[in-house]
Amino acid sequence: MKASELVLAPDGSLYHIRLNSSTLADKVLLVGDPGRVEMFKEIFDSIEFESQNREIHALTGTYHGTRMTALSTGMGCDNIDIVMTELDAALHLSDKSDWSDKSDRHLQIVRIGTSGSLQEDIDCGSHVASRYAIGLDGLMNYYKEWVSPLPEMDQKFMVHMGLNRRLAQPYCIGSSKLLLSKIAIGMHHGITTTAPGFYGPQGRTIRLHPSIKNLNEKLASFSYDNTPVTNLEMETSAIYGFSHLLGHEALTVCLIIANRPKGTFLNDYHPQMRELVGTVIERLA
């Protein structure tokens, strides 16, 4: 493989995430904020590896005998394209930078994030597990291997939204049933919509105006498989899409820090995030 295609750091690890097959655990916890990775130092029983490159902070350690990697991604599906591709590539890359097309390892990936609720009855401080994801970002359409696993949901969503053709083609994808049953006990289960931005793509008006009128209301009124659209964020659809294509298990669990219908926002959410992280790690282990 050409050096310009599989880009490596000077130490032979993947260029952005600075991990390889030996430093990456099979259970991966994704967070957006690189500062949030510090929280895992207080939770893990031991730390064996740490690296930091730009917004990507990696930490591999053990919790009650289970090896895990915590990794920050930064914000947005463009970052997820990098992180998910390199996580999978790390399974095929030896410490000597030798590449193998085959690997018998499969990752269990849980994103622990923050999100805004689109349903009035899901208040700030709630936990939402993404049973399904709808990508407004269009990222997976750039990959030849992508074939929609949920064409009926795709079509239903397109008809419901009536989106302009100049926008990216949405795609729908489900979570790992294994991780959903294991981790999302007692949480809201819903459809998470992934937007390609924070302001206009999530229906916010500052100086510029969204091109989709009443976006959040339209999203909130959509449901599939008796599951409503519950929240809006910026990463889940791509995590699910790559996991589906590459053979990994993935789930997103979000702490709700904004309720868009009510216009409320949880400013100091760090204690609630610490509690959620602890719950997810315990169940994953």
Side-chain angles (χ1 to χ4, degrees), residues 261-283:
K262 291 182 178 179
T264 55
F265 184 77
L266 186 63
N267 283 295
D268 184 12
Y269 57 83
H270 299 290
Q272 290 93 328
M273 177 55 72
R274 174 63 177 77
E275 179 185 355
L276 178 58
V277 167
T279 297
V280 170
I281 289 180
E282 184 69 30
R283 293 176 180 178

Side-chain angles (χ1 to χ4, degrees), residues 34-250:
R36 196 174 297 160
V37 175
E38 293 292 327
M39 185 186 303
F40 292 87
K41 292 182 179 179
E42 303 171 4
I43 300 173
F44 286 172
D45 300 321
S46 62
I47 305 297
E48 67 177 71
F49 177 82
E50 182 176 13
S51 67
Q52 191 151 11
N53 179 39
R54 302 185 186 184
E55 65 266 55
I56 298 177
H57 185 180
L59 187 74
T60 297
T62 58
Y63 175 79
H64 293 182
T66 299
R67 192 166 180 256
M68 299 182 181
T69 294
L71 184 72
S72 61
T73 65
M75 295 180 286
C77 283
D78 50 348
N79 281 13
I80 297 301
D81 177 66
I82 293 170
V83 168
M84 289 298 295
T85 298
E86 294 191 4
L87 282 174
D88 181 76
L91 303 180
H92 300 265
L93 189 70
S94 73
D95 292 345
K96 297 180 180 179
S97 301
D98 294 325
W99 175 265
S100 172
D101 288 331
K102 296 181 180 180
S103 173
D104 58 2
R105 293 174 63 186
H106 302 281
L107 301 176
Q108 291 188 348
I109 302 167
V110 182
R111 163 170 147 72
I112 309 173
T114 57
S115 184
S117 170
L118 296 178
Q119 301 293 340
E120 191 169 356
D121 62 344
I122 301 180
D123 289 324
C124 293
S126 301
H127 300 162
V128 172
S130 306
R131 183 181 179 189
Y132 296 101
I134 299 174
L136 301 180
D137 51 279
L139 176 61
M140 299 316 301
N141 298 316
Y142 284 89
Y143 288 91
K144 181 180 179 180
E145 292 82 359
W146 179 255
V147 177
S148 174
L150 295 171
E152 180 185 358
M153 186 177 178
D154 288 348
Q155 181 62 27
K156 185 178 180 181
F157 181 73
M158 288 292 293
V159 171
H160 177 83
M161 295 297 294
L163 297 176
N164 191 305
R165 289 188 177 182
R166 70 177 183 172
L167 297 174
Q169 181 80 13
Y171 58 94
C172 302
I173 180 77
S175 68
S176 161
K177 293 180 180 179
L178 170 68
L179 293 179
L180 187 70
S181 64
K182 187 175 183 178
I183 292 174
I185 302 161
M187 301 179 183
H188 295 277
H189 292 197
I191 300 173
T192 294
T193 307
T194 297
F198 185 78
Y199 290 99
Q202 293 191 31
R204 290 181 171 92
T205 299
I206 306 302
R207 292 185 64 204
L208 302 178
H209 297 78
S211 63
I212 305 174
K213 189 176 181 181
N214 300 321
L215 170 64
N216 292 347
E217 290 79 4
K218 286 183 178 180
L219 290 173
S221 62
F222 179 77
S223 66
Y224 175 78
D225 191 22
N226 296 316
T227 307
V229 170
T230 47
N231 58 320
L232 187 58
E233 47 84 269
M234 295 172 60
E235 289 85 23
T236 296
S237 61
I239 294 171
Y240 284 13
F242 278 104
S243 295
H244 172 71
L245 291 182
L246 298 171
H248 306 301
E249 306 278 348

Side-chain angles (χ1 to χ4, degrees), residues 16-33:
H16 298 93
I17 66 173
R18 301 297 167 98
L19 292 165
N20 60 26
S21 60
S22 66
T23 54
L24 172 64
D26 290 346
K27 297 181 187 294
V28 181
L29 300 150
L30 299 181
V31 296
D33 183 0

